[in-house]
């Protein structure tokens, strides 16, 4: 992880980039945004931005406009992006711009429950019973909101939530914040 992150930052410098834009990946966010400076031994020479921050900046500045969805939504706060990374408000501003009425989970933000294990645990079949148990807790929380949409900003969380929904026959379809914005871009 350190070598990959160092190569990312070094490449950004080599090509003259001022900003590194990270995808909806919680682990990449933690590594590039917070750990990279420690590995570098100094402040990073480029700005590292998660896709959620970038969407928030684009919408807030008026560089992109989105059509309103006009429904209720609840937001799953990814462990790496929100609980460890502190990026809680940006996703909520993007949801508001999309016209969602946000119904918060009982435990949300830095106190939110895990999706069911994220990237590493999804790949570990021995962890399946634990992952299913955690997913059931998350499912109950989401159902208690009565929200029409379940949205997250982490690709691994999305995979875990989709897998849990499929395995339990849950009719809720977890959605990517990035994809919602892309689908709702105004002309």
């Amino acid at each position: 992880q350190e070598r990959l992150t160092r190569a990312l930052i070094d490449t950004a410098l080599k090509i003259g980039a001022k900003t590194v834009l990270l995808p909806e990946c919680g682990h990449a966010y933690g590594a590039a945004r917070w750990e990279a400076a420690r590995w570098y031994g100094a402040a990073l020479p480029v700005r590292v931005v998660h896709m959620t921050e970038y969407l928030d900046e684009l919408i807030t500045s008026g560089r992109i406009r989105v059509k309103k969805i006009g429904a209720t939504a609840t937001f799953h706060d990814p462990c790496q992006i929100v609980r460890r990374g502190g990026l809680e408000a940006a996703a909520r501003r993007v949801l508001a711009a999309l016209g969602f009425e946000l119904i918060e989970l009982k435990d949300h933000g830095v106190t939110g429950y895990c999706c069911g294990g994220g990237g590493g645990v999804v790949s570990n079949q021995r962890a399946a019973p634990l992952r299913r148990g955690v997913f059931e807790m998350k499912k109950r929380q989401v159902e208690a909101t009565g929200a029409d949409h379940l949205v997250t900003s982490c690709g691994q969380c999305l995979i875990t939530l989709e897998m849990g929904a499929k395995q339990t026959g849950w009719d809720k379809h977890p959605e990517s914040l990035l994809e919602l914005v892309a689908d709702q871009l105004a002309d």
Side-chain angles (χ1 to χ4, degrees):
Q1 191 176 22
E2 178 181 348
R3 188 170 33 189
L4 181 61
T5 302
R6 185 178 297 277
L8 176 69
I9 302 299
D10 287 343
T11 301
L13 289 173
K14 183 178 177 181
I15 65 171
K18 305 267 188 270
T19 301
V20 173
L21 179 60
L22 300 172
E24 287 187 307
C25 176
H27 295 284
Y29 180 69
R33 181 73 175 265
W34 306 116
E35 298 296 324
R38 184 172 55 88
W39 297 332
Y40 251 72
L44 290 180
V46 295
R47 181 175 177 233
V48 176
V49 180
H50 186 268
M51 182 58 65
T52 305
E53 291 174 287
Y54 186 64
L55 292 173
D56 181 35
E57 290 172 10
L58 290 174
I59 292 169
T60 301
S61 70
R63 292 191 306 187
I64 65 170
R65 292 185 345 270
V66 291
K67 296 176 272 187
K68 304 278 187 200
I69 293 174
T72 58
T74 194
F75 184 72
H76 165 70
D77 291 292
C79 300
Q80 300 296 328
I81 299 168
V82 175
R83 287 196 306 235
R84 285 192 62 205
L87 188 58
E88 185 175 349
R92 285 160 172 80
R93 286 190 296 266
V94 172
L95 288 168
L98 287 166
F100 281 115
E101 174 191 338
L102 182 63
I103 303 172
E104 293 283 14
L105 296 167
K106 179 178 180 267
D107 298 291
H108 61 277
V110 296
T111 63
Y113 287 0
C114 180
C115 59
V121 178
V122 163
S123 304
N124 182 348
Q125 291 306 311
R126 291 175 298 158
L130 177 61
R131 184 177 58 247
R132 282 191 295 274
V134 172
F135 174 78
E136 284 295 334
M137 290 181 350
K138 177 58 75 172
K139 179 181 165 187
R140 284 192 299 275
Q141 279 194 325
V142 170
E143 288 174 343
T145 69
D148 300 320
H149 295 262
L150 167 59
V151 182
T152 191
S153 60
C154 173
Q156 288 299 316
C157 291
L158 187 64
I159 290 168
T160 301
L161 292 166
E162 287 173 338
M163 206 165 81
K166 182 178 180 181
Q167 290 171 345
T168 62
W170 195 29
D171 62 355
K172 187 71 69 183
H173 174 70
E175 299 171 84
S176 155
L177 183 64
L178 174 60
E179 289 177 19
L180 282 169
V181 169
D183 290 344
Q184 294 304 117
L185 285 174
D187 296 331

